[in-house]
Short mmCIF file of all heavy atoms in Angstrom, two decimals:
data_model
loop_
_atom_site.label_atom_id
_atom_site.label_comp_id
_atom_site.label_asym_id
_atom_site.label_seq_id
_atom_site.Cartn_x
_atom_site.Cartn_y
_atom_site.Cartn_z
N TYR A 321 -18.99 53.90 1.47
CA TYR A 321 -17.95 53.12 2.13
C TYR A 321 -17.66 51.88 1.29
O TYR A 321 -18.59 51.13 0.94
CB TYR A 321 -18.39 52.72 3.55
CG TYR A 321 -18.43 53.91 4.49
CD1 TYR A 321 -19.51 54.79 4.47
CD2 TYR A 321 -17.38 54.17 5.35
CE1 TYR A 321 -19.54 55.91 5.31
CE2 TYR A 321 -17.39 55.28 6.20
CZ TYR A 321 -18.48 56.15 6.16
OH TYR A 321 -18.49 57.25 6.98
N ILE A 322 -16.37 51.66 0.96
CA ILE A 322 -15.98 50.58 0.04
C ILE A 322 -14.95 49.67 0.71
O ILE A 322 -13.92 50.13 1.21
CB ILE A 322 -15.40 51.17 -1.26
CG1 ILE A 322 -16.46 52.04 -1.95
CG2 ILE A 322 -14.92 50.07 -2.21
CD1 ILE A 322 -15.91 52.92 -3.06
N ASP A 324 -12.21 47.01 0.21
CA ASP A 324 -11.28 46.37 -0.73
C ASP A 324 -10.16 45.70 0.07
O ASP A 324 -8.98 45.80 -0.27
CB ASP A 324 -10.72 47.43 -1.70
CG ASP A 324 -10.02 46.82 -2.91
OD1 ASP A 324 -10.54 45.84 -3.47
OD2 ASP A 324 -8.95 47.32 -3.28
N SER A 325 -10.57 44.99 1.14
CA SER A 325 -9.59 44.38 2.04
C SER A 325 -8.71 43.36 1.33
O SER A 325 -7.59 43.08 1.75
CB SER A 325 -10.30 43.71 3.22
OG SER A 325 -9.38 43.12 4.09
N ALA A 327 -7.14 43.72 -1.27
CA ALA A 327 -5.98 44.38 -1.87
C ALA A 327 -4.81 44.27 -0.91
O ALA A 327 -4.59 45.13 -0.06
CB ALA A 327 -6.28 45.85 -2.16
N THR A 333 -4.13 47.86 -4.95
CA THR A 333 -4.60 49.17 -4.49
C THR A 333 -4.55 50.20 -5.62
O THR A 333 -5.40 51.08 -5.69
CB THR A 333 -3.76 49.61 -3.27
OG1 THR A 333 -4.05 48.72 -2.19
CG2 THR A 333 -4.08 51.03 -2.85
N LEU A 337 -7.68 52.63 -6.43
CA LEU A 337 -7.62 54.10 -6.48
C LEU A 337 -7.96 54.62 -7.88
O LEU A 337 -8.63 55.64 -8.03
CB LEU A 337 -6.22 54.59 -6.05
CG LEU A 337 -5.88 54.44 -4.57
CD1 LEU A 337 -4.42 54.78 -4.31
CD2 LEU A 337 -6.78 55.32 -3.70
N THR A 344 -11.47 60.90 -1.94
CA THR A 344 -11.44 59.63 -1.20
C THR A 344 -10.63 59.74 0.09
O THR A 344 -9.52 60.28 0.09
CB THR A 344 -10.83 58.52 -2.10
OG1 THR A 344 -11.65 58.39 -3.27
CG2 THR A 344 -10.76 57.19 -1.38
N VAL A 345 -11.21 59.22 1.18
CA VAL A 345 -10.46 58.99 2.42
C VAL A 345 -9.98 57.54 2.35
O VAL A 345 -10.77 56.61 2.25
CB VAL A 345 -11.34 59.20 3.67
CG1 VAL A 345 -10.54 58.86 4.93
CG2 VAL A 345 -11.88 60.62 3.72
N TRP A 346 -8.66 57.37 2.37
CA TRP A 346 -8.06 56.06 2.09
C TRP A 346 -7.52 55.44 3.38
O TRP A 346 -6.68 56.03 4.05
CB TRP A 346 -6.93 56.26 1.07
CG TRP A 346 -6.11 55.05 0.74
CD1 TRP A 346 -6.49 53.75 0.73
CD2 TRP A 346 -4.72 55.07 0.34
NE1 TRP A 346 -5.44 52.94 0.35
CE2 TRP A 346 -4.35 53.72 0.10
CE3 TRP A 346 -3.77 56.07 0.14
CZ2 TRP A 346 -3.06 53.35 -0.30
CZ3 TRP A 346 -2.50 55.72 -0.26
CH2 TRP A 346 -2.15 54.38 -0.49
N ILE A 347 -8.03 54.25 3.74
CA ILE A 347 -7.52 53.50 4.88
C ILE A 347 -6.49 52.49 4.35
O ILE A 347 -6.82 51.65 3.51
CB ILE A 347 -8.65 52.74 5.62
CG1 ILE A 347 -9.74 53.71 6.07
CG2 ILE A 347 -8.09 51.98 6.83
CD1 ILE A 347 -10.99 53.04 6.67
N VAL A 348 -5.25 52.60 4.83
CA VAL A 348 -4.14 51.81 4.27
C VAL A 348 -3.24 51.31 5.39
O VAL A 348 -3.17 51.91 6.46
CB VAL A 348 -3.34 52.67 3.24
CG1 VAL A 348 -2.83 53.94 3.89
CG2 VAL A 348 -2.18 51.89 2.63
N GLY A 349 -2.55 50.20 5.15
CA GLY A 349 -1.53 49.74 6.10
C GLY A 349 -1.72 48.31 6.54
O GLY A 349 -2.77 47.69 6.31
N GLY A 350 -0.69 47.75 7.17
CA GLY A 350 -0.68 46.36 7.62
C GLY A 350 0.75 45.86 7.57
O GLY A 350 1.69 46.61 7.82
N VAL A 368 -6.91 61.33 -3.43
CA VAL A 368 -6.99 61.09 -1.98
C VAL A 368 -6.91 62.40 -1.20
O VAL A 368 -5.97 63.17 -1.37
CB VAL A 368 -5.86 60.12 -1.53
CG1 VAL A 368 -5.87 59.96 -0.02
CG2 VAL A 368 -6.03 58.77 -2.21
N ALA A 370 -7.42 62.41 2.33
CA ALA A 370 -6.89 62.12 3.66
C ALA A 370 -6.52 60.64 3.73
O ALA A 370 -7.12 59.81 3.05
CB ALA A 370 -7.93 62.45 4.72
N ILE A 371 -5.52 60.34 4.57
CA ILE A 371 -5.08 58.96 4.74
C ILE A 371 -5.21 58.56 6.21
O ILE A 371 -4.79 59.30 7.11
CB ILE A 371 -3.61 58.78 4.28
CG1 ILE A 371 -3.52 58.89 2.75
CG2 ILE A 371 -3.05 57.43 4.74
CD1 ILE A 371 -2.11 58.79 2.20
N VAL A 372 -5.81 57.39 6.43
CA VAL A 372 -5.88 56.80 7.77
C VAL A 372 -4.98 55.56 7.76
O VAL A 372 -5.24 54.61 7.01
CB VAL A 372 -7.33 56.43 8.14
CG1 VAL A 372 -7.37 55.74 9.50
CG2 VAL A 372 -8.22 57.68 8.14
N CYS A 373 -3.91 55.60 8.55
CA CYS A 373 -2.96 54.48 8.60
C CYS A 373 -3.42 53.46 9.64
O CYS A 373 -3.55 53.80 10.82
CB CYS A 373 -1.57 54.97 8.99
SG CYS A 373 -0.86 56.12 7.83
N LEU A 374 -3.65 52.24 9.19
CA LEU A 374 -4.11 51.18 10.09
C LEU A 374 -3.09 50.05 10.09
O LEU A 374 -3.14 49.13 9.28
CB LEU A 374 -5.48 50.66 9.62
CG LEU A 374 -6.07 49.46 10.35
CD1 LEU A 374 -6.32 49.77 11.81
CD2 LEU A 374 -7.35 48.99 9.68
N GLY A 375 -2.12 50.15 10.98
CA GLY A 375 -1.08 49.11 11.03
C GLY A 375 -0.24 49.29 12.28
O GLY A 375 -0.30 50.33 12.93
N ILE A 381 4.54 54.33 4.97
CA ILE A 381 3.40 55.03 4.37
C ILE A 381 3.50 56.52 4.68
O ILE A 381 3.29 57.37 3.81
CB ILE A 381 2.07 54.43 4.90
CG1 ILE A 381 1.94 52.97 4.44
CG2 ILE A 381 0.88 55.24 4.42
CD1 ILE A 381 0.91 52.16 5.18
N VAL A 393 -3.71 60.34 9.64
CA VAL A 393 -3.98 59.95 11.03
C VAL A 393 -3.58 58.49 11.21
O VAL A 393 -3.79 57.66 10.32
CB VAL A 393 -5.50 60.09 11.34
CG1 VAL A 393 -5.78 59.78 12.81
CG2 VAL A 393 -6.01 61.49 10.99
N VAL A 395 -4.11 54.98 13.42
CA VAL A 395 -5.00 54.28 14.36
C VAL A 395 -4.52 52.83 14.49
O VAL A 395 -3.73 52.36 13.66
CB VAL A 395 -6.48 54.30 13.88
CG1 VAL A 395 -7.03 55.70 13.86
CG2 VAL A 395 -6.60 53.65 12.50
N ASN A 397 -6.91 50.18 15.42
CA ASN A 397 -8.02 49.22 15.33
C ASN A 397 -9.04 49.71 14.32
O ASN A 397 -9.07 50.90 13.97
CB ASN A 397 -8.66 48.98 16.70
CG ASN A 397 -9.31 50.25 17.25
OD1 ASN A 397 -10.38 50.64 16.82
ND2 ASN A 397 -8.63 50.91 18.19
N MET A 398 -9.88 48.79 13.84
CA MET A 398 -10.79 49.11 12.73
C MET A 398 -11.89 50.10 13.13
O MET A 398 -12.26 50.95 12.34
CB MET A 398 -11.42 47.81 12.19
CG MET A 398 -12.20 47.99 10.92
SD MET A 398 -11.22 48.70 9.56
CE MET A 398 -10.44 47.21 8.91
N THR A 399 -12.38 50.00 14.36
CA THR A 399 -13.45 50.93 14.79
C THR A 399 -12.95 52.36 14.70
O THR A 399 -13.64 53.24 14.16
CB THR A 399 -13.88 50.60 16.24
OG1 THR A 399 -14.29 49.23 16.26
CG2 THR A 399 -15.03 51.48 16.69
N ASP A 400 -11.74 52.61 15.22
CA ASP A 400 -11.18 53.97 15.15
C ASP A 400 -10.93 54.39 13.70
O ASP A 400 -11.11 55.56 13.35
CB ASP A 400 -9.86 54.05 15.95
CG ASP A 400 -10.11 54.03 17.46
OD1 ASP A 400 -11.28 54.13 17.86
OD2 ASP A 400 -9.13 53.91 18.22
N ALA A 401 -10.49 53.45 12.88
CA ALA A 401 -10.22 53.76 11.47
C ALA A 401 -11.49 54.26 10.79
O ALA A 401 -11.47 55.26 10.05
CB ALA A 401 -9.68 52.53 10.75
N VAL A 402 -12.59 53.57 11.03
CA VAL A 402 -13.85 53.93 10.36
C VAL A 402 -14.43 55.22 10.93
O VAL A 402 -14.88 56.10 10.19
CB VAL A 402 -14.86 52.76 10.46
CG1 VAL A 402 -16.25 53.19 10.02
CG2 VAL A 402 -14.38 51.59 9.61
N ARG A 403 -14.36 55.38 12.26
CA ARG A 403 -14.89 56.61 12.87
C ARG A 403 -14.08 57.84 12.44
O ARG A 403 -14.64 58.90 12.18
CB ARG A 403 -14.88 56.49 14.40
CG ARG A 403 -16.00 55.60 14.92
CD ARG A 403 -16.05 55.60 16.43
NE ARG A 403 -17.09 54.71 16.90
CZ ARG A 403 -17.06 54.07 18.07
NH1 ARG A 403 -16.02 54.24 18.87
NH2 ARG A 403 -18.04 53.29 18.44
N THR A 404 -12.77 57.68 12.39
CA THR A 404 -11.90 58.78 11.95
C THR A 404 -12.23 59.14 10.50
O THR A 404 -12.33 60.32 10.14
CB THR A 404 -10.41 58.37 12.07
OG1 THR A 404 -10.15 58.00 13.42
CG2 THR A 404 -9.49 59.51 11.66
N SER A 405 -12.40 58.12 9.67
CA SER A 405 -12.72 58.36 8.25
C SER A 405 -14.04 59.09 8.10
O SER A 405 -14.19 59.97 7.25
CB SER A 405 -12.78 57.02 7.50
OG SER A 405 -11.55 56.34 7.59
N GLN A 406 -15.01 58.72 8.94
CA GLN A 406 -16.32 59.39 8.87
C GLN A 406 -16.17 60.89 9.17
O GLN A 406 -16.79 61.74 8.53
CB GLN A 406 -17.29 58.75 9.88
CG GLN A 406 -18.69 59.37 9.81
CD GLN A 406 -19.60 58.88 10.92
OE1 GLN A 406 -19.15 58.58 12.03
NE2 GLN A 406 -20.89 58.78 10.64
N ALA A 414 -15.87 59.40 -0.73
CA ALA A 414 -15.88 57.95 -0.49
C ALA A 414 -14.84 57.63 0.58
O ALA A 414 -13.84 58.34 0.72
CB ALA A 414 -15.55 57.20 -1.77
N VAL A 415 -15.09 56.56 1.33
CA VAL A 415 -14.10 56.00 2.26
C VAL A 415 -13.72 54.63 1.71
O VAL A 415 -14.57 53.77 1.53
CB VAL A 415 -14.68 55.87 3.69
CG1 VAL A 415 -13.71 55.10 4.59
CG2 VAL A 415 -14.96 57.26 4.27
N LEU A 416 -12.42 54.47 1.42
CA LEU A 416 -11.95 53.24 0.78
C LEU A 416 -10.96 52.51 1.69
O LEU A 416 -9.89 53.05 2.01
CB LEU A 416 -11.25 53.60 -0.55
CG LEU A 416 -10.46 52.47 -1.24
CD1 LEU A 416 -11.41 51.41 -1.80
CD2 LEU A 416 -9.57 53.03 -2.35
N LEU A 417 -11.31 51.29 2.09
CA LEU A 417 -10.33 50.40 2.75
C LEU A 417 -9.64 49.63 1.63
O LEU A 417 -10.24 48.77 1.00
CB LEU A 417 -11.03 49.43 3.71
CG LEU A 417 -10.14 48.29 4.23
CD1 LEU A 417 -9.10 48.80 5.21
CD2 LEU A 417 -10.96 47.16 4.87
N SER A 418 -8.38 49.98 1.37
CA SER A 418 -7.59 49.24 0.37
C SER A 418 -6.15 49.22 0.88
O SER A 418 -5.33 50.07 0.55
CB SER A 418 -7.68 49.93 -1.00
OG SER A 418 -7.08 49.11 -1.99
N PRO A 419 -5.82 48.21 1.72
CA PRO A 419 -4.63 48.30 2.58
C PRO A 419 -3.27 48.21 1.90
O PRO A 419 -2.28 48.66 2.46
CB PRO A 419 -4.82 47.13 3.54
CG PRO A 419 -6.27 46.78 3.45
CD PRO A 419 -6.66 47.08 2.05
N ALA A 420 -3.19 47.58 0.71
CA ALA A 420 -1.91 47.39 -0.01
C ALA A 420 -0.92 46.53 0.78
O ALA A 420 0.24 46.44 0.42
CB ALA A 420 -1.27 48.74 -0.36
N CYS A 421 -1.40 45.92 1.85
CA CYS A 421 -0.52 45.15 2.75
C CYS A 421 -1.24 43.90 3.23
O CYS A 421 -2.47 43.82 3.18
CB CYS A 421 -0.17 45.97 3.99
SG CYS A 421 0.75 47.49 3.69
N PHE A 427 -5.08 41.51 12.34
CA PHE A 427 -6.24 40.68 11.98
C PHE A 427 -5.81 39.25 11.67
O PHE A 427 -4.65 38.99 11.41
CB PHE A 427 -6.95 41.26 10.75
CG PHE A 427 -7.29 42.72 10.89
CD1 PHE A 427 -6.44 43.70 10.38
CD2 PHE A 427 -8.44 43.12 11.54
CE1 PHE A 427 -6.73 45.05 10.53
CE2 PHE A 427 -8.74 44.47 11.70
CZ PHE A 427 -7.89 45.44 11.20
N ARG A 433 -10.33 41.20 8.34
CA ARG A 433 -10.16 42.66 8.23
C ARG A 433 -11.37 43.28 7.52
O ARG A 433 -11.93 44.28 7.98
CB ARG A 433 -8.87 42.95 7.47
CG ARG A 433 -8.59 44.42 7.23
CD ARG A 433 -7.17 44.64 6.72
NE ARG A 433 -6.89 43.99 5.44
CZ ARG A 433 -5.68 43.91 4.89
NH1 ARG A 433 -4.63 44.43 5.51
NH2 ARG A 433 -5.50 43.32 3.71
N PHE A 437 -14.34 45.78 9.04
CA PHE A 437 -14.62 47.06 8.40
C PHE A 437 -16.13 47.21 8.19
O PHE A 437 -16.74 48.22 8.53
CB PHE A 437 -13.88 47.16 7.06
CG PHE A 437 -14.21 48.39 6.25
CD1 PHE A 437 -13.70 49.64 6.63
CD2 PHE A 437 -15.00 48.32 5.12
CE1 PHE A 437 -13.99 50.78 5.89
CE2 PHE A 437 -15.28 49.45 4.36
CZ PHE A 437 -14.78 50.68 4.75
N VAL A 441 -18.66 49.94 9.88
CA VAL A 441 -19.47 50.88 9.08
C VAL A 441 -20.94 50.75 9.47
O VAL A 441 -21.64 51.75 9.64
CB VAL A 441 -19.28 50.58 7.56
CG1 VAL A 441 -20.29 51.37 6.73
CG2 VAL A 441 -17.87 50.91 7.11
#
Side-chain angles (χ1 to χ4, degrees):
Y321 290 79
I322 299 167
D324 194 43
S325 180
T333 293
L337 289 172
T344 300
V345 177
W346 175 31
I347 304 173
V348 57
V368 175
I371 289 178
V372 176
C373 298
L374 174 62
I381 295 164
V393 184
V395 295
N397 64 77
M398 189 58 84
T399 303
D400 286 352
V402 169
R403 284 185 183 152
T404 303
S405 301
Q406 182 188 32
V415 171
L416 170 70
L417 169 71
S418 188
C421 297
F427 307 95
R433 178 169 62 188
F437 175 74
V441 170

